[in-house]
Amino acid sequence: MSVYFQVKLFQLREQMRVICRYYRNVRFALVDLGFCFFAFFFNPYRICRKFTGTHSYGETPITTFAELAKAADLTKEDVFVDLGSGRGKLCFWASSWIGCDCRGVEQVPGLVRLSQWLAWAFRVPVRFDQEKLETADLSHATVVYLYTMEWDETLLLEMQPGARVITVGSPVDLEGFAVVKRIEARYPWGVADVFIQQRIAQFMPIEEDSGELFGRMKGSIHVLEDILAPIDEVWDASR
Ligand SMILES: C[S@@+](CC[C@H](N)C(=O)[O-])C[C@H]1O[C@@H](n2cnc3c(N)ncnc32)[C@H](O)[C@@H]1O
């Protein structure tokens, strides 16, 4: 069977699973039907190709993302950010089924407008910003999902300790991130390694900070000496 038909079959099976598992949530069902309807007029692959000039669009199957969300322990207390949100399907699912704060960041105006319109029409409390990943504010994000080809990892450095980042294909190659899980996940084009990493506490490089730290310790010792000197005198005099 050709790759085209394999992908179509995968998508058909995926849609059946989504209907069976997630259409109990009426709002999610309406949004998802909205996506199906608009797909006749706005092909996300074509819109993205027109904007970026590359074939870099693809979507994470909802059932795959549900597994990843479970593995990353995504709860309703979390602030979820999909960096490169495409049509925003994952944010709609996470908002409807997990109940967390959700935000999508996407550069293609047509895709952002579609997700903003669906959020408005079906009153789903999700936010979509037309923005470059590089300028996204991640200081409040507790779970970030990244399924994009090219991005600058240093943008993750503003994440707070304890926050998790999910990446597809390869782990984050940055100090201050530890891989906590590696999962094999299904995508329309095959199986991919997905990495769940946690931001760990920021460490001060010892070489840079030791001088200042030592200086502060010495300062504290001098203060202590000043306090203890009169006590010592009284003690000596009393003996
Ligand atoms: C592979 S799609 C993933 C869509 C969605 N996150 C999902 O998993 O279903 C990647 C998306 O990231 C967007 N993207 C890629 N580079 C970007 C950048 N520098 N700034 C903003 N969006 C970007 C693309 O336009 C595309 O819509």
Side-chain angles (χ1 to χ4, degrees), residues 7 9 29 44 53 75 79 99 120 129 145 155 159 163 195 212 215 224 234:
V7 169
L9 192 62
T75 67
V79 177
W120 171 80
D129 295 314
Y145 181 66
L155 75 107
M159 288 172 70
F195 298 85
E212 195 198 331
L224 266 176
V234 173

Side-chain angles (χ1 to χ4, degrees), residues 175-209:
E175 220 174 285
F177 284 88
V179 176
V180 287
K181 275 179 199 161
R182 175 170 170 251
I183 297 158
E184 286 191 347
R186 287 175 314 110
Y187 287 79
W189 41 267
V191 174
D193 283 331
V194 176
F195 298 85
I196 298 174
Q197 294 120 113
Q198 188 156 32
R199 179 90 163 104
I200 46 182
Q202 284 161 325
F203 294 109
M204 289 278 187
I206 287 172
E207 311 79 59
E208 283 173 28
D209 195 50

Side-chain angles (χ1 to χ4, degrees), residues 75-233:
T75 67
K76 67 176 185 332
E77 274 75 43
D78 279 308
V79 177
F80 171 67
V81 178
D82 184 5
L83 282 180
S85 52
R87 290 191 292 175
K89 272 191 165 193
L90 305 183
C91 289
F92 284 110
W93 180 85
S95 175
S96 310
W97 276 90
I98 306 280
C100 53
D101 268 4
C102 293
R103 183 178 165 225
V105 175
E106 172 59 52
Q107 63 183 350
V108 180
L111 298 180
V112 177
R113 274 201 296 275
L114 174 65
S115 26
Q116 283 173 338
W117 189 84
L118 286 169
W120 171 80
F122 296 109
R123 304 286 181 271
V124 187
V126 286
R127 186 177 138 194
F128 293 99
D129 295 314
Q130 190 206 326
E131 196 181 352
K132 282 277 189 189
L133 306 185
E134 294 71 20
T135 57
D137 175 13
L138 296 181
S139 55
H140 300 292
T142 58
V143 178
V144 168
Y145 181 66
L146 262 154
Y147 171 33
T148 43
M149 302 285 264
E150 290 157 22
W151 50 285
D152 177 8
E153 295 189 329
T154 54
L155 75 107
L156 300 174
L157 285 172
E158 57 178 291
M159 288 172 70
Q160 299 299 319
R164 283 92 74 209
V165 54
I166 309 169
T167 54
V168 182
S170 56
V172 173
D173 186 20
L174 274 181
E175 220 174 285
F177 284 88
V179 176
V180 287
K181 275 179 199 161
R182 175 170 170 251
I183 297 158
E184 286 191 347
R186 287 175 314 110
Y187 287 79
W189 41 267
V191 174
D193 283 331
V194 176
F195 298 85
I196 298 174
Q197 294 120 113
Q198 188 156 32
R199 179 90 163 104
I200 46 182
Q202 284 161 325
F203 294 109
M204 289 278 187
I206 287 172
E207 311 79 59
E208 283 173 28
D209 195 50
S210 53
E212 195 198 331
L213 186 64
F214 190 57
R216 264 191 268 144
M217 277 169 62
K218 273 203 314 201
S220 310
I221 289 167
H222 287 317
V223 172
L224 266 176
E225 278 172 355
D226 289 348
I227 295 169
L228 291 176
I231 300 172
D232 273 351
E233 275 171 31

